Amino acid sequence: MSMDYYQPEVLINEDEIAKRVNALGKEITQDYANEEVVLICVLKGAYVFCADLMRKINLPVRLEFVSCSSYGDGLYSSGRVKVEMDVTGPIENCHVIIVEDIVDTGLTIKNLVELIQLKSPKSLKLASLLYKPSRTRHETKIDYLAFEIDDKFVVGYGLDYAGRYRELPYIGFLNAGH
Ligand code: 5GP
C-alpha cells in the first residue's frame, strides 16, 4: 500500500446502509405502485447507491445516467456545475427519480433538477444517500434520503477523494488534510 493511503474511519457501516436502502426501496415501491420509474443516476458517486437501490424497487425500472462536476480533486466545492454527460433515453411524461450520492451546498442538484425539468417528466423526485444540512446554500427537497450527516468529508460506497475509496463497502470519513 502506498505511503499516502489513509484508511478512512467508519461513519456508517454496511448493515446500516443496507437497512436504509431497503427501506427507501420499499417506500418508492409503494409511492409509485404499478408505475414505471426512471432512475437517473448521477455519476460517478451515486452509482453504488443506485445499483443497490434499484434492486430494492419492486417496479419496472429504467436506468439513465448523467454526469456533472462541481468538485475538482479538492475537498471544497468550486461553486461551478458542468454537465458532462446527459441522459440518452426518453424522459418526457415519465416518473423520474434523480439518484444522488450527497447533497452538500445543494448547487449540483439545483442545476440538475432545472435541467431535467426542461425534459418535461410526468413527475420528478430526488433520492440522496447523504445530506449535509449544515452546508446548505440552495434549499433542496430530498424526497428519499438515507442519512443526514455532519459537516465531514465522506468517502466510500461510491464516494471518492481524488478518485479513491469508491470501493469501500461502508461510508467513512477522512480527517481534513488527508
Ligand atoms: P453540492 O453541489 O451539493 O455542493 O455538492 C454535491 C457534490 O459534491 C456531490 O455530488 C459530491 O460529488 C460532492 N461532495 C460533496 N460533499 C462531499 C463529501 O463529503 N465527500 C465526497 N466524496 N464528495 C462530496
Side-chain angles (χ1 to χ4, degrees):
M1 201 176 281
S2 73
M3 291 292 287
D4 63 348
Y5 186 92
Y6 296 91
Q7 192 65 46
E9 293 180 48
V10 178
L11 183 65
I12 305 168
N13 71 33
E14 244 182 296
D15 285 352
E16 294 172 293
I17 296 170
K19 274 188 198 130
R20 284 300 298 142
V21 172
N22 210 344
L24 291 182
K26 276 203 182 116
E27 215 181 310
I28 291 169
T29 303
Q30 285 165 5
D31 289 355
Y32 292 85
N34 302 319
E35 303 271 7
E36 180 184 73
V37 294
V38 180
L39 299 183
I40 301 184
C41 173
V42 185
L43 294 173
K44 299 177 182 169
Y47 115 100
V48 176
F49 172 49
C50 191
D52 283 347
L53 181 63
M54 71 185 288
R55 286 175 289 177
K56 298 294 176 189
I57 299 174
N58 190 15
L59 298 169
V61 170
R62 283 199 293 118
L63 179 63
E64 291 289 332
F65 294 103
V66 290
S67 165
C68 49
S69 57
S70 64
Y71 274 57
D73 279 350
L75 292 180
Y76 300 101
S77 175
S78 66
R80 282 174 289 121
V81 171
K82 197 176 130 212
V83 174
E84 281 158 356
M85 196 186 86
D86 204 350
V87 302
T88 55
I91 296 299
E92 193 179 331
N93 219 21
C94 298
H95 291 296
V96 173
I97 304 175
I98 299 176
V99 182
E100 250 293 22
D101 54 356
I102 181 164
V103 176
D104 185 26
T105 66
L107 183 75
T108 306
I109 200 61
K110 178 178 174 277
N111 280 259
L112 209 56
V113 165
E114 285 171 9
L115 179 98
I116 302 299
Q117 283 290 13
L118 294 175
K119 299 177 192 293
S120 309
K122 193 182 282 176
S123 68
L124 182 57
K125 285 192 182 183
L126 172 63
S128 186
L129 175 66
L130 300 165
Y131 173 51
K132 285 185 196 170
S134 61
R135 301 248 315 151
T136 308
R137 281 193 288 127
H138 306 270
E139 277 308 321
T140 317
K141 181 170 180 278
I142 305 173
D143 303 283
Y144 305 103
L145 175 67
F147 303 100
E148 212 171 270
I149 58 166
D150 292 338
D151 185 10
K152 282 193 165 80
F153 190 85
V154 291
V155 295
Y157 197 67
L159 289 101
D160 77 313
Y161 172 60
R164 277 182 173 160
Y165 305 112
R166 292 194 199 275
E167 74 282 10
L168 298 178
Y170 59 90
I171 296 162
F173 64 96
L174 296 169
N175 296 311
H178 288 175

